[in-house]
Amino acid sequence: MLGVRLLFLFAALCLPASAGLAAEEHPAAHAMPGMNATDPHAAHREAPPAAPLVISPSQPATFPLKTQGTPPPPIVERLGEHVPAGIIMTDENGKSVDARALLDRPTLILPIFFTCPAACNTLQSSVAAALSGVNLEPGRDFRVLSISFDEQDTPERAARKKADYMAAMNFAFPEDAWHFLTGDKESVKRLMDSLGFPFIRLGQGNFSHPVAVIVTAPEGKVVRYMYGQGFLPFDLNMALNEAALGKTGLSIKRVLAYCFTYDPESRGYVFNFMRVAGGIIIFGALVFLAILLIGGKRKRRSSS
Protein backbone atom coordinates (compact mmCIF):
# COMPACT_ATOMS: atom_id res chain seq x y z
CA MET A 1 0.00 0.00 0.00
CA LEU A 2 2.87 2.34 0.73
CA GLY A 3 4.20 1.90 -2.81
CA VAL A 4 0.80 2.62 -4.32
CA ARG A 5 0.47 5.76 -2.22
CA LEU A 6 3.89 6.98 -3.35
CA LEU A 7 2.90 6.34 -6.97
CA PHE A 8 -0.23 8.44 -6.62
CA LEU A 9 1.73 11.18 -4.82
CA PHE A 10 4.23 11.40 -7.70
CA ALA A 11 1.43 11.73 -10.25
CA ALA A 12 -0.40 14.28 -8.12
CA LEU A 13 2.65 16.53 -7.93
CA CYS A 14 3.09 16.65 -11.70
CA LEU A 15 -0.35 16.50 -13.24
CA PRO A 16 -2.03 19.46 -11.47
CA ALA A 17 0.85 21.72 -12.44
CA SER A 18 0.51 20.50 -16.02
CA ALA A 19 -3.21 21.25 -16.08
CA GLY A 20 -2.60 24.72 -14.69
CA LEU A 21 0.01 25.41 -17.34
CA ALA A 22 -2.27 24.28 -20.16
CA ALA A 23 -4.94 26.67 -18.95
CA GLU A 24 -2.52 29.63 -19.05
CA GLU A 25 -1.98 31.75 -22.12
CA HIS A 26 1.21 30.86 -23.96
CA PRO A 27 4.00 33.47 -23.75
CA ALA A 28 3.98 33.81 -27.52
CA ALA A 29 0.54 35.35 -27.24
CA HIS A 30 2.19 38.48 -25.84
CA ALA A 31 4.07 39.19 -29.06
CA MET A 32 3.72 42.77 -30.21
CA PRO A 33 1.53 43.80 -33.17
CA GLY A 34 3.41 43.36 -36.42
CA MET A 35 5.92 40.96 -34.90
CA ASN A 36 6.42 37.41 -36.05
CA ALA A 37 5.62 35.44 -32.90
CA THR A 38 7.89 32.59 -33.97
CA ASP A 39 10.94 34.80 -34.23
CA PRO A 40 13.04 34.56 -31.02
CA HIS A 41 14.57 37.93 -31.65
CA ALA A 42 13.18 41.41 -32.10
CA ALA A 43 14.82 44.28 -33.93
CA HIS A 44 13.63 47.81 -33.81
CA ARG A 45 14.80 50.91 -35.49
CA GLU A 46 12.20 53.47 -34.64
CA ALA A 47 8.81 53.36 -32.99
CA PRO A 48 6.01 55.66 -31.92
CA PRO A 49 6.19 57.01 -28.37
CA ALA A 50 5.59 54.29 -25.82
CA ALA A 51 2.23 54.05 -24.11
CA PRO A 52 2.10 54.89 -20.40
CA LEU A 53 3.68 52.23 -18.23
CA VAL A 54 0.98 50.07 -16.64
CA ILE A 55 1.87 46.74 -15.10
CA SER A 56 -0.74 44.19 -14.12
CA PRO A 57 0.10 40.74 -12.77
CA SER A 58 -2.56 39.21 -15.06
CA GLN A 59 -1.65 41.04 -18.25
CA PRO A 60 1.78 42.47 -19.13
CA ALA A 61 1.90 46.01 -20.47
CA THR A 62 2.10 46.36 -24.25
CA PHE A 63 3.94 48.89 -26.36
CA PRO A 64 3.90 49.72 -30.08
CA LEU A 65 6.78 48.09 -31.94
CA LYS A 66 8.18 48.10 -35.45
CA THR A 67 10.45 45.29 -36.59
CA GLN A 68 11.84 46.86 -39.76
CA GLY A 69 15.51 47.78 -39.91
CA THR A 70 18.80 46.02 -39.32
CA PRO A 71 18.21 42.39 -38.24
CA PRO A 72 19.52 41.72 -34.74
CA PRO A 73 22.61 39.51 -34.40
CA PRO A 74 21.91 36.10 -32.86
CA ILE A 75 22.72 35.29 -29.27
CA VAL A 76 25.73 33.03 -28.73
CA GLU A 77 24.61 30.85 -25.84
CA ARG A 78 27.23 30.52 -23.08
CA LEU A 79 25.50 27.74 -21.18
CA GLY A 80 27.67 26.40 -18.38
CA GLU A 81 30.08 29.34 -18.50
CA HIS A 82 30.54 31.86 -15.70
CA VAL A 83 30.39 35.64 -15.73
CA PRO A 84 33.94 36.67 -14.74
CA ALA A 85 34.67 38.69 -11.64
CA GLY A 86 36.05 42.20 -11.91
CA ILE A 87 33.48 43.72 -14.28
CA ILE A 88 32.65 46.96 -12.50
CA MET A 89 29.24 48.48 -13.16
CA THR A 90 27.29 51.31 -11.53
CA ASP A 91 23.90 50.77 -9.93
CA GLU A 92 20.94 53.14 -9.87
CA ASN A 93 22.29 54.78 -6.71
CA GLY A 94 25.62 55.67 -8.34
CA LYS A 95 27.44 52.95 -6.41
CA SER A 96 30.18 50.93 -8.14
CA VAL A 97 29.50 47.19 -7.96
CA ASP A 98 31.18 44.06 -9.27
CA ALA A 99 28.54 42.46 -11.52
CA ARG A 100 29.68 39.00 -10.45
CA ALA A 101 29.03 39.88 -6.80
CA LEU A 102 25.35 40.44 -7.62
CA LEU A 103 25.11 36.95 -9.13
CA ASP A 104 25.39 35.17 -5.78
CA ARG A 105 21.89 33.71 -6.11
CA PRO A 106 19.58 32.73 -8.99
CA THR A 107 19.27 35.84 -11.14
CA LEU A 108 17.16 37.03 -14.06
CA ILE A 109 19.29 39.25 -16.30
CA LEU A 110 17.50 41.62 -18.68
CA PRO A 111 19.93 43.12 -21.24
CA ILE A 112 18.30 46.41 -22.34
CA PHE A 113 18.97 50.11 -22.85
CA PHE A 114 17.00 52.74 -21.01
CA THR A 115 16.01 54.89 -24.00
CA CYS A 116 14.64 51.90 -25.92
CA PRO A 117 11.29 52.94 -27.47
CA ALA A 118 9.59 49.56 -27.45
CA ALA A 119 11.05 46.06 -27.04
CA CYS A 120 13.05 46.66 -23.85
CA ASN A 121 10.06 48.26 -22.13
CA THR A 122 7.86 45.35 -23.16
CA LEU A 123 10.38 42.82 -21.89
CA GLN A 124 10.74 44.49 -18.51
CA SER A 125 6.98 45.00 -18.15
CA SER A 126 6.30 41.34 -18.92
CA VAL A 127 8.85 40.19 -16.34
CA ALA A 128 7.55 42.70 -13.79
CA ALA A 129 3.98 41.43 -14.24
CA ALA A 130 5.05 37.77 -13.98
CA LEU A 131 7.06 38.38 -10.81
CA SER A 132 3.84 38.62 -8.81
CA GLY A 133 3.31 34.89 -9.38
CA VAL A 134 6.82 33.72 -8.52
CA ASN A 135 6.66 31.63 -5.34
CA LEU A 136 10.19 32.48 -4.22
CA GLU A 137 11.19 35.34 -1.94
CA PRO A 138 12.75 38.17 -3.97
CA GLY A 139 16.06 39.33 -2.62
CA ARG A 140 16.64 36.19 -0.61
CA ASP A 141 15.94 33.47 -3.21
CA PHE A 142 16.51 35.40 -6.43
CA ARG A 143 17.41 38.77 -7.92
CA VAL A 144 16.57 40.70 -11.10
CA LEU A 145 19.12 42.81 -12.99
CA SER A 146 18.28 45.22 -15.81
CA ILE A 147 21.65 45.89 -17.44
CA SER A 148 22.06 48.61 -20.04
CA PHE A 149 24.37 47.88 -22.98
CA ASP A 150 24.37 51.58 -23.91
CA GLU A 151 27.46 53.12 -22.35
CA GLN A 152 25.77 56.52 -22.64
CA ASP A 153 23.09 55.55 -20.12
CA THR A 154 23.63 57.12 -16.71
CA PRO A 155 22.85 56.13 -13.10
CA GLU A 156 20.35 59.00 -13.00
CA ARG A 157 18.51 57.55 -15.98
CA ALA A 158 18.67 54.11 -14.37
CA ALA A 159 17.20 55.51 -11.15
CA ARG A 160 14.28 57.08 -13.05
CA LYS A 161 13.55 53.82 -14.86
CA LYS A 162 13.64 51.86 -11.62
CA ALA A 163 11.32 54.35 -9.94
CA ASP A 164 8.86 54.00 -12.83
CA TYR A 165 8.72 50.21 -12.50
CA MET A 166 8.56 50.19 -8.71
CA ALA A 167 5.66 52.65 -8.83
CA ALA A 168 3.80 50.75 -11.56
CA MET A 169 4.02 47.32 -9.87
CA ASN A 170 0.78 46.93 -7.93
CA PHE A 171 2.24 44.30 -5.62
CA ALA A 172 4.99 44.45 -3.03
CA PHE A 173 8.47 43.90 -4.46
CA PRO A 174 11.61 44.89 -2.51
CA GLU A 175 13.69 47.54 -4.23
CA ASP A 176 16.96 45.81 -3.34
CA ALA A 177 15.86 42.73 -5.33
CA TRP A 178 15.88 44.54 -8.69
CA HIS A 179 18.90 46.60 -9.71
CA PHE A 180 19.37 48.75 -12.82
CA LEU A 181 23.02 48.83 -13.92
CA THR A 182 25.06 51.00 -16.26
CA GLY A 183 28.74 50.95 -17.19
CA ASP A 184 31.45 52.30 -19.43
CA LYS A 185 31.97 50.90 -22.93
CA GLU A 186 34.66 48.40 -21.94
CA SER A 187 32.75 47.03 -18.94
CA VAL A 188 29.53 46.75 -20.90
CA LYS A 189 31.25 44.86 -23.72
CA ARG A 190 32.96 42.44 -21.32
CA LEU A 191 29.73 41.70 -19.51
CA MET A 192 27.61 41.25 -22.63
CA ASP A 193 30.29 39.09 -24.25
CA SER A 194 30.33 36.83 -21.18
CA LEU A 195 26.56 36.43 -21.58
CA GLY A 196 26.76 35.89 -25.35
CA PHE A 197 24.50 38.89 -25.94
CA PRO A 198 25.37 40.92 -29.09
CA PHE A 199 24.08 44.33 -30.13
CA ILE A 200 24.64 46.79 -32.98
CA ARG A 201 24.47 50.55 -32.55
CA LEU A 202 22.37 52.00 -35.37
CA GLY A 203 22.88 55.61 -34.45
CA GLN A 204 22.52 57.94 -31.54
CA GLY A 205 20.33 56.24 -28.95
CA ASN A 206 19.30 53.32 -31.15
CA PHE A 207 20.34 49.67 -31.34
CA SER A 208 19.55 46.42 -33.09
CA HIS A 209 19.59 43.62 -30.53
CA PRO A 210 17.95 40.29 -29.65
CA VAL A 211 15.37 40.11 -26.87
CA ALA A 212 15.81 37.57 -24.10
CA VAL A 213 16.05 36.95 -20.38
CA ILE A 214 19.28 35.26 -19.31
CA VAL A 215 19.13 33.13 -16.15
CA THR A 216 22.20 32.55 -14.01
CA ALA A 217 22.80 30.22 -11.08
CA PRO A 218 24.79 31.19 -7.99
CA GLU A 219 28.40 32.17 -8.77
CA GLY A 220 27.31 33.62 -12.11
CA LYS A 221 26.88 30.38 -14.06
CA VAL A 222 24.73 30.85 -17.18
CA VAL A 223 22.01 28.19 -17.15
CA ARG A 224 19.13 29.35 -19.36
CA TYR A 225 18.17 31.68 -22.23
CA MET A 226 14.48 32.56 -22.42
CA TYR A 227 13.66 34.24 -25.72
CA GLY A 228 10.81 36.58 -26.50
CA GLN A 229 9.04 39.40 -24.68
CA GLY A 230 6.15 37.66 -22.90
CA PHE A 231 6.62 35.39 -19.89
CA LEU A 232 4.27 33.66 -17.49
CA PRO A 233 4.94 33.27 -13.76
CA PHE A 234 5.38 29.55 -14.37
CA ASP A 235 8.26 30.21 -16.78
CA LEU A 236 10.11 32.33 -14.25
CA ASN A 237 9.39 29.90 -11.41
CA MET A 238 10.80 26.97 -13.33
CA ALA A 239 13.86 28.86 -14.55
CA LEU A 240 14.72 30.12 -11.06
CA ASN A 241 14.08 26.75 -9.45
CA GLU A 242 16.35 25.07 -12.00
CA ALA A 243 19.03 27.67 -11.33
CA ALA A 244 18.80 26.97 -7.60
CA LEU A 245 19.02 23.17 -7.84
CA GLY A 246 22.75 23.15 -7.26
CA LYS A 247 22.17 24.41 -3.71
CA THR A 248 19.04 22.49 -2.69
CA GLY A 249 18.32 18.89 -1.87
CA LEU A 250 15.48 16.63 -3.01
CA SER A 251 12.29 18.68 -2.89
CA ILE A 252 9.17 19.66 -4.78
CA LYS A 253 11.45 21.78 -6.96
CA ARG A 254 13.25 18.70 -8.22
CA VAL A 255 9.97 16.88 -8.89
CA LEU A 256 8.71 19.81 -10.96
CA ALA A 257 12.03 20.01 -12.82
CA TYR A 258 11.59 16.33 -13.69
CA CYS A 259 8.00 16.79 -14.89
CA PHE A 260 8.67 19.84 -17.07
CA THR A 261 11.35 20.63 -19.64
CA TYR A 262 12.21 23.81 -21.49
CA ASP A 263 11.17 23.79 -25.15
CA PRO A 264 13.27 26.25 -27.24
CA GLU A 265 10.72 26.25 -30.08
CA SER A 266 7.77 27.29 -27.94
CA ARG A 267 10.08 29.29 -25.64
CA GLY A 268 8.42 27.97 -22.53
CA TYR A 269 8.24 25.03 -20.15
CA VAL A 270 6.14 22.09 -21.30
CA PHE A 271 4.90 19.00 -19.53
CA ASN A 272 7.17 16.08 -20.44
CA PHE A 273 4.55 13.34 -20.76
CA MET A 274 6.94 10.64 -22.00
CA ARG A 275 9.40 11.19 -19.16
CA VAL A 276 6.68 11.20 -16.50
CA ALA A 277 4.84 8.21 -17.99
CA GLY A 278 8.11 6.27 -18.20
CA GLY A 279 8.95 7.14 -14.61
CA ILE A 280 5.51 6.07 -13.40
CA ILE A 281 5.73 2.77 -15.30
CA ILE A 282 9.20 1.98 -13.94
CA PHE A 283 8.20 3.00 -10.43
CA GLY A 284 5.02 0.93 -10.64
CA ALA A 285 6.97 -2.10 -11.88
CA LEU A 286 9.40 -1.80 -8.97
CA VAL A 287 6.52 -1.51 -6.49
CA PHE A 288 4.81 -4.55 -8.03
CA LEU A 289 8.06 -6.53 -7.85
CA ALA A 290 8.54 -5.53 -4.23
CA ILE A 291 4.99 -6.67 -3.41
CA LEU A 292 5.62 -10.05 -5.06
CA LEU A 293 8.87 -10.55 -3.16
CA ILE A 294 7.37 -9.58 0.18
CA GLY A 295 4.30 -11.74 -0.46
CA GLY A 296 6.51 -14.70 -1.37
CA LYS A 297 8.51 -14.38 1.85
CA ARG A 298 5.33 -14.25 3.93
CA LYS A 299 3.97 -17.39 2.25
CA ARG A 300 7.20 -19.28 2.92
CA ARG A 301 7.15 -18.21 6.56
CA SER A 302 3.50 -19.25 7.02
CA SER A 303 4.07 -22.61 5.34
CA SER A 304 7.06 -23.37 7.57
Side-chain angles (χ1 to χ4, degrees):
M1 291 298 294
L2 176 61
V4 175
R5 289 178 180 176
L6 290 174
L7 179 61
F8 278 110
L9 176 61
F10 180 83
L13 287 172
C14 293
L15 294 178
S18 172
L21 178 62
E24 293 272 16
E25 177 187 1
H26 192 275
H30 297 305
M32 296 297 99
M35 172 181 284
N36 183 352
T38 63
D39 186 357
H41 308 302
H44 53 274
R45 192 168 185 177
E46 59 183 30
L53 178 60
V54 178
I55 298 174
S56 167
S58 61
Q59 178 64 45
T62 59
F63 295 82
L65 176 65
K66 286 186 178 181
T67 57
Q68 292 84 8
T70 304
I75 285 177
V76 180
E77 296 193 352
R78 307 285 191 191
L79 294 173
E81 299 184 18
H82 291 75
V83 174
I87 301 178
I88 305 302
M89 304 292 287
T90 305
D91 68 11
E92 65 278 1
N93 298 314
K95 178 182 176 182
S96 295
V97 293
D98 188 328
R100 172 68 174 270
L102 293 175
L103 304 178
D104 58 347
R105 65 208 68 188
T107 302
L108 302 174
I109 298 178
L110 284 57
I112 48 85
F113 66 104
F114 297 136
T115 57
C116 179
C120 300
N121 288 328
T122 308
L123 173 67
Q124 292 184 107
S125 296
S126 174
V127 170
L131 286 174
S132 66
V134 173
N135 58 12
L136 301 171
E137 184 177 335
R140 187 193 70 178
D141 297 328
F142 73 96
R143 178 178 282 137
V144 183
L145 298 179
S146 288
I147 304 178
S148 174
F149 47 79
D150 184 356
E151 74 279 3
Q152 296 178 5
D153 274 333
T154 63
E156 292 76 18
R157 190 176 289 168
R160 288 195 298 270
K161 275 292 181 181
K162 178 172 181 176
D164 288 343
Y165 281 95
M166 292 295 106
M169 296 170 77
N170 58 1
F171 54 93
F173 194 86
E175 292 193 6
D176 61 353
W178 191 345
H179 291 289
F180 287 63
L181 305 181
T182 58
D184 59 36
K185 188 172 184 178
E186 180 181 356
S187 297
V188 166
K189 186 178 187 307
R190 286 185 61 201
L191 182 53
M192 293 299 146
D193 284 349
S194 71
L195 297 171
F197 188 89
F199 55 92
I200 300 173
R201 182 180 285 278
L202 300 179
Q204 185 66 24
N206 205 4
F207 293 85
S208 176
H209 63 91
V211 179
V213 173
I214 302 171
V215 187
T216 60
E219 300 183 357
K221 182 180 180 181
V222 179
V223 296
R224 175 72 65 216
Y225 290 82
M226 303 176 67
Y227 297 100
Q229 301 175 83
F231 299 100
L232 299 174
F234 184 84
D235 297 319
L236 302 187
N237 266 312
M238 287 299 301
L240 290 168
N241 284 332
E242 283 183 344
L245 285 181
K247 297 182 63 178
T248 60
L250 183 62
S251 66
I252 182 65
K253 296 177 184 179
R254 287 189 179 273
V255 176
L256 286 175
Y258 181 86
C259 296
F260 293 87
T261 54
Y262 187 79
D263 180 16
E265 293 186 2
S266 63
R267 304 178 198 98
Y269 286 86
V270 296
F271 184 67
N272 193 327
F273 178 80
M274 295 300 295
R275 177 189 288 180
V276 173
I280 292 176
I281 291 173
I282 294 174
F283 184 74
L286 293 175
V287 171
F288 182 69
L289 179 60
I291 292 174
L292 289 179
L293 292 176
I294 294 173
K297 289 181 180 179
R298 288 178 178 175
K299 286 184 180 180
R300 287 195 295 269
R301 288 176 183 175
S302 59
S303 60
S304 62

